[in-house]
């Protein structure tokens, strides 16, 4: 792996407010828009693929409307891109390995229960058209990594260290922030919580090492793209929850 870049200079303790355009909404807003859509999706009277297009436009609007300044400043450069790409592929392999190597691995009550939920795909089998597959893959690779990394690696671990999170440089480590973020990231992935935990640990480690949000966006994008292509190739649609 390439050597990590020098960490960004700490924000002055005198900075009592976030830089313009870099407050909480810039980091959390896109993720909140995405989660709100997931909650409302089943109630919207839209047929696919129109619903998928509207969903992508809403997510893009959330990223641009709330996070455009932090995306432009922190997420567009990936100085360690070769290693980030390789790591993204490795995480995808880790994600699918249990289900590929152990038939019935995810049938256990450890993974499917009243707390974690149950396996289901968010695209009905009759709607798995080429257009739908292309839209889903594009969203997974281009939009979701941006909004999730703004929240999971850009905001949450810093906020867990100091509610004036802008005073905490990206990639700053504390055990509480590192493991707390990994555990919550695992919980977000429901029946895939155990691979979600491994993924969260790896991503958090890479953020600590590189101090580069752009590298995390790239790693996450490669993971999601590879997982989408694997899902399409094998028709294991449950990987698209």
């Amino acid at each position: 792996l390439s050597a990590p870049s020098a960490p960004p200079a700490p924000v002055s303790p005198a900075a009592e407010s976030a830089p313009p355009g870099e407050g909480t909404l810039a980091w959390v807003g896109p993720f909140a828009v995405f989660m709100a859509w997931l909650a409302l999706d089943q109630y919207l009277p839209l047929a696919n693929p129109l619903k998928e297009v509207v969903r992508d436009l809403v997510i893009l609007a959330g990223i641009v409307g709330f996070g455009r300044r932090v995306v432009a400043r922190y997420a567009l450069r990936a100085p360690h891109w070769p290693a980030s790409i390789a790591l993204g592929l490795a995480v995808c392999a880790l994600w699918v390995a249990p289900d590929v190597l152990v038939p019935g691995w995810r049938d256990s009550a450890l993974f499917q229960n009243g707390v974690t939920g149950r396996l289901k795909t968010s695209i009905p089998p009759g709607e798995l058209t080429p257009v739908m597959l292309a839209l889903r893959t594009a969203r997974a690779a281009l939009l979701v990594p941006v909004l999730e990394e703004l929240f999971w690696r850009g905001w949450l671990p810093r906020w867990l260290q100091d509610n004036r999170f802008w005073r905490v440089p990206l990639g700053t480590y504390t055990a509480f922030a590192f493991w707390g973020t990994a555990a919550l990231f695992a919980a977000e992935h429901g029946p895939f919580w155990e691979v979600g935990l491994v993924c969260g640990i790896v991503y958090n480690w890479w953020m600590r090492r590189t101090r580069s949000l752009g590298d995390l966006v790239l790693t996450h994008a490669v993971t999601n793209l590879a997982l989408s292509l694997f899902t399409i190739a094998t028709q294991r649609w449950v990987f698209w929850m």
Side-chain angles (χ1 to χ4, degrees):
L1 300 178
S2 54
S5 58
V11 178
S12 167
E16 297 300 329
S17 60
E22 297 186 21
T24 297
L25 276 179
W27 301 89
V28 178
F31 185 77
V33 169
F34 180 56
M35 298 305 291
W37 177 276
L38 292 180
L40 297 174
D41 178 73
Q42 59 184 315
Y43 303 108
L44 298 177
L46 296 173
N48 284 320
L50 177 60
K51 180 182 284 190
E52 294 293 311
V53 173
V54 172
R55 179 190 309 209
D56 291 346
L57 291 175
V58 168
I59 294 171
L60 181 60
I63 293 172
V64 173
F66 290 112
R68 61 187 180 278
R69 290 194 180 184
V70 293
V71 169
R73 182 174 180 183
Y74 300 104
L76 297 183
R77 291 183 64 255
H80 313 288
W81 63 267
S84 293
I85 290 173
L87 188 64
L89 293 172
V91 171
C92 177
L94 289 171
W95 193 279
V96 303
D99 295 271
V100 171
L101 298 176
V102 183
W105 170 265
R106 212 156 297 281
D107 295 337
S108 165
L110 183 63
F111 302 115
Q112 299 193 65
N113 52 63
V115 176
T116 63
R118 301 189 181 280
L119 288 177
K120 61 181 180 179
T121 178
S122 55
I123 302 180
E127 297 179 359
L128 290 168
T129 64
V131 171
M132 291 289 290
L133 297 178
L135 289 171
R136 172 58 65 95
T137 300
R139 179 167 66 250
L142 299 176
L143 298 179
V144 172
V146 175
L147 65 90
E148 288 212 329
E149 291 309 316
L150 288 179
F151 179 81
W152 289 111
R153 255 61 61 179
W155 177 78
L156 183 59
R158 295 193 290 159
W159 180 80
L160 289 175
Q161 296 174 60
D162 186 342
N163 59 7
R164 292 174 293 182
F165 67 92
W166 57 89
R167 294 154 51 102
V168 181
L170 287 166
T172 300
Y173 173 83
T174 67
F176 175 69
F178 184 99
W179 294 104
T181 300
L184 291 172
F185 190 75
E188 182 198 28
H189 289 90
F192 290 90
W193 64 264
E194 93 289 12
V195 287
L197 178 61
V198 172
C199 177
I201 292 170
V202 172
Y203 285 173
N204 288 355
W205 167 80
W206 193 229
M207 186 66 189
R208 180 186 179 188
R209 181 173 175 79
T210 65
R211 307 287 182 99
S212 168
L213 190 65
D215 277 289
L216 266 296
V217 171
L218 177 58
T219 298
H220 200 150
V222 171
T223 298
N224 284 7
L225 175 60
L227 182 59
S228 295
L229 295 178
F230 174 86
T231 299
I232 294 169
T234 63
Q235 298 188 12
R236 294 177 181 239
W237 305 116
V238 292
F239 283 112
W240 271 348
M241 295 187 300

